[in-house]
Amino acid sequence: MTSAHAGRDISVDIIRGIAIILVVLGHANRGQMETMAIAPASLQFLDFVVYAVHMPVFFLVSGYFTFVSLSKRKESIFLGSRIPNIVWPYCLWSVIYCFVGHVMSSLTQVHHMVAWRQILLIGWQPISVLWFLYALFFMQIGAILLWRRPVAILALSLAVDLAVAFVPSGMLPSIVVDIIVQAPFFYIGLLLAERGLPALPTVRQAGLWGTGILVVYGGLAYAMFEAHVGRSVQFIMLPVAFPGLLGLAFLSRAILRMHSLSFIASGLARLGQASLAIYLLHILVLALVPRMLHQMHVNTAAPALICGTLVGVAGSYALYLGLEKIRIARFFALR
């Protein structure tokens, strides 16, 4: 059930569910920090520790299933499928973010307004969270070229990741840096699938191991945060990110195995299966949160974060289900 050649592994859906919650939490947290003259260290650390693992989860899983897809069909067919699966959603949602942002600006404060002219630049400047689809496309192109040699492409990605650490800040476009620093996770997933290993490792007493490793991850992340290493995803952070990913993997396994947590497992799995839809929709939903918090007279960080995360996740999922109900989710590339 857990190998590259077996059926659906629900624990993978669970870890994606956890990761998408972290994505929404991270963006809600950044929204809070942008309203402050100087963000407190607690919010800055939360930003650091969340961003170090949430997108690496998605890239690792994507790399794993990219290999599975390439092993089942010709490279040309897989490449052609990138148009409806990545290029179309990328272009469509670039327009949607621009249009909806201008509409919503009359209702609430929009922190990152997208100018119409930016639509013309999406070939090299992704809009908002669409950088993920942009990066994933180029990583998959690399996989198409070298998927039979995953060790080589992983080594190359690590070498480039190390090299970019010595490039002065601002010399490279931010999207290029994002692709480079996230690529090792994608190609690790590719390698795991090539070796016939499960996407997520398993171990006895996974809950205990997962909790312990996540505590270690938190400690390592705090040490790096205090050392002011800069961005949370970079070559020097790999030894920190891997315990975080491993801890989340074991935790996902444990949640799936524990009958007493079956309702949590089911909920997280549903969020994981709808993670792309939530990822694309939550930016629109979160834009409404500041107005909601103002109406509710919520002015402190912790309640605002909790409210923002809950509204962002639940609201996006509910909107997705509504679009599915009226059978237009596919038109918006949410499936």
Side-chain angles (χ1 to χ4, degrees), residues 110-168:
V110 178
H111 291 293
H112 303 285
M113 179 65 70
V114 181
W116 283 109
R117 65 179 179 275
Q118 287 184 250
I119 299 295
L120 303 176
L121 308 178
I122 62 173
W124 57 92
Q125 290 182 13
I127 294 171
S128 187
V129 297
L130 295 175
W131 74 268
F132 170 71
L133 293 178
Y134 189 93
L136 182 60
F137 177 79
F138 284 100
M139 291 178 197
Q140 290 186 331
I141 295 298
I144 290 171
L145 297 174
L146 289 171
W147 71 279
R148 290 186 175 88
R149 302 184 64 185
V151 173
I153 196 168
L154 173 58
L156 177 61
S157 71
L158 288 170
V160 175
D161 192 7
L162 175 60
V164 81
F166 298 96
V167 176

Side-chain angles (χ1 to χ4, degrees), residues 66-130:
T66 293
F67 181 90
V68 174
S69 295
L70 285 168
S71 66
K72 294 178 179 178
R73 48 184 166 167
K74 294 181 179 180
E75 291 92 334
S76 58
I77 296 175
F78 179 80
L79 178 60
S81 70
R82 299 307 84 199
I83 295 175
N85 291 333
I86 293 183
V87 176
W88 164 242
Y90 178 77
C91 295
L92 173 65
W93 281 90
S94 295
V95 175
I96 289 174
Y97 284 153
C98 186
F99 175 76
V100 175
H102 282 79
V103 172
M104 295 185 72
S105 64
S106 62
L107 303 175
T108 185
Q109 181 180 2
V110 178
H111 291 293
H112 303 285
M113 179 65 70
V114 181
W116 283 109
R117 65 179 179 275
Q118 287 184 250
I119 299 295
L120 303 176
L121 308 178
I122 62 173
W124 57 92
Q125 290 182 13
I127 294 171
S128 187
V129 297
L130 295 175

Side-chain angles (χ1 to χ4, degrees), residues 52-308:
V53 293
H54 65 4
M55 295 313 295
V57 167
F58 287 113
F59 281 112
L60 189 148
V61 171
S62 296
Y64 189 92
F65 289 106
T66 293
F67 181 90
V68 174
S69 295
L70 285 168
S71 66
K72 294 178 179 178
R73 48 184 166 167
K74 294 181 179 180
E75 291 92 334
S76 58
I77 296 175
F78 179 80
L79 178 60
S81 70
R82 299 307 84 199
I83 295 175
N85 291 333
I86 293 183
V87 176
W88 164 242
Y90 178 77
C91 295
L92 173 65
W93 281 90
S94 295
V95 175
I96 289 174
Y97 284 153
C98 186
F99 175 76
V100 175
H102 282 79
V103 172
M104 295 185 72
S105 64
S106 62
L107 303 175
T108 185
Q109 181 180 2
V110 178
H111 291 293
H112 303 285
M113 179 65 70
V114 181
W116 283 109
R117 65 179 179 275
Q118 287 184 250
I119 299 295
L120 303 176
L121 308 178
I122 62 173
W124 57 92
Q125 290 182 13
I127 294 171
S128 187
V129 297
L130 295 175
W131 74 268
F132 170 71
L133 293 178
Y134 189 93
L136 182 60
F137 177 79
F138 284 100
M139 291 178 197
Q140 290 186 331
I141 295 298
I144 290 171
L145 297 174
L146 289 171
W147 71 279
R148 290 186 175 88
R149 302 184 64 185
V151 173
I153 196 168
L154 173 58
L156 177 61
S157 71
L158 288 170
V160 175
D161 192 7
L162 175 60
V164 81
F166 298 96
V167 176
S169 177
M171 181 172 289
L172 293 175
S174 61
I175 184 58
V176 173
V177 177
D178 286 335
I179 293 172
I180 289 171
V181 299
Q182 297 284 357
F185 301 104
F186 180 90
Y187 294 119
I188 286 171
L190 195 80
L191 179 61
L192 289 174
E194 187 268 342
R195 296 299 167 91
L197 297 172
L200 305 184
T202 186
V203 69
R204 292 177 181 269
Q205 297 182 320
L208 182 61
W209 276 101
T211 302
I213 292 173
L214 286 175
V215 169
V216 172
Y217 164 68
L220 292 172
Y222 184 74
M224 298 300 273
F225 173 75
E226 287 294 309
H228 303 288
V229 298
R231 60 184 299 151
S232 55
V233 181
Q234 56 176 308
F235 185 84
I236 197 175
M237 283 292 293
L238 288 175
V240 178
F242 288 135
L245 293 173
L246 189 62
L248 290 176
F250 287 159
L251 186 62
S252 300
R253 293 285 192 197
I255 292 173
L256 180 61
R257 291 174 183 173
M258 296 179 66
H259 296 295
S260 61
L261 298 179
S262 60
F263 69 100
I264 295 178
S266 176
L268 288 173
R270 289 177 182 273
L271 293 180
Q273 291 161 12
S275 58
L276 176 60
I278 296 172
Y279 185 80
L280 293 171
L281 291 168
H282 83 278
I283 294 298
L284 306 180
V285 175
L286 282 182
L288 299 173
V289 169
R291 188 179 183 90
M292 292 176 57
L293 294 177
H294 178 73
Q295 294 292 332
M296 297 166 60
H297 304 289
V298 176
N299 300 310
T300 53
L305 272 179
I306 295 171
C307 180

Side-chain angles (χ1 to χ4, degrees), residues 297-330:
H297 304 289
V298 176
N299 300 310
T300 53
L305 272 179
I306 295 171
C307 180
T309 304
L310 288 175
V311 171
V313 174
S316 300
Y317 186 61
L319 180 55
Y320 165 67
L321 292 180
L323 294 173
E324 279 280 22
K325 185 73 173 179
I326 59 177
R327 300 183 179 181
I328 61 172
R330 188 180 295 276

